Amino acid sequence: MFLSRLSCTPSDALTPFDRAGLAVSGLLADGRQLVNRARDEAASYKEFYGEPIPGRVLAERLAGFVHAYTM
């Protein structure tokens, strides 16, 4: 069986920053895009509030991003 590195396996996990992990399935490029967005959101939150982003807030922001680009 040939597995392309363009696709993720269910065990692939990426780290947007030191306090979070993100598991993805599907195309690896899509997962990397979400990780980059998560890093941007975390940096923006830390710059504005001066503390690390809570997981719930990061999840809500990423969900809004995915929702906006799948409609």
Side-chain angles (χ1 to χ4, degrees):
M1 174 185 244
F2 174 74
L3 292 176
S4 170
R5 277 313 300 165
L6 293 175
S7 63
C8 294
T9 62
S11 64
D12 282 345
L14 306 168
T15 54
F17 55 99
D18 61 343
R19 294 182 54 183
L22 184 68
V24 297
S25 64
L27 294 178
L28 188 56
D30 291 342
R32 286 188 185 135
Q33 198 64 14
L34 281 177
V35 168
N36 289 335
R37 181 62 181 210
R39 287 178 180 146
D40 291 344
E41 291 291 343
S44 173
Y45 188 94
K46 183 159 183 135
E47 182 180 325
F48 189 80
Y49 294 105
E51 59 185 43
I53 190 169
R56 179 184 54 79
V57 174
L58 180 61
E60 288 174 359
R61 290 185 180 191
L62 286 179
F65 174 76
V66 171
H67 178 74
Y69 287 99
T70 57
M71 294 302 290

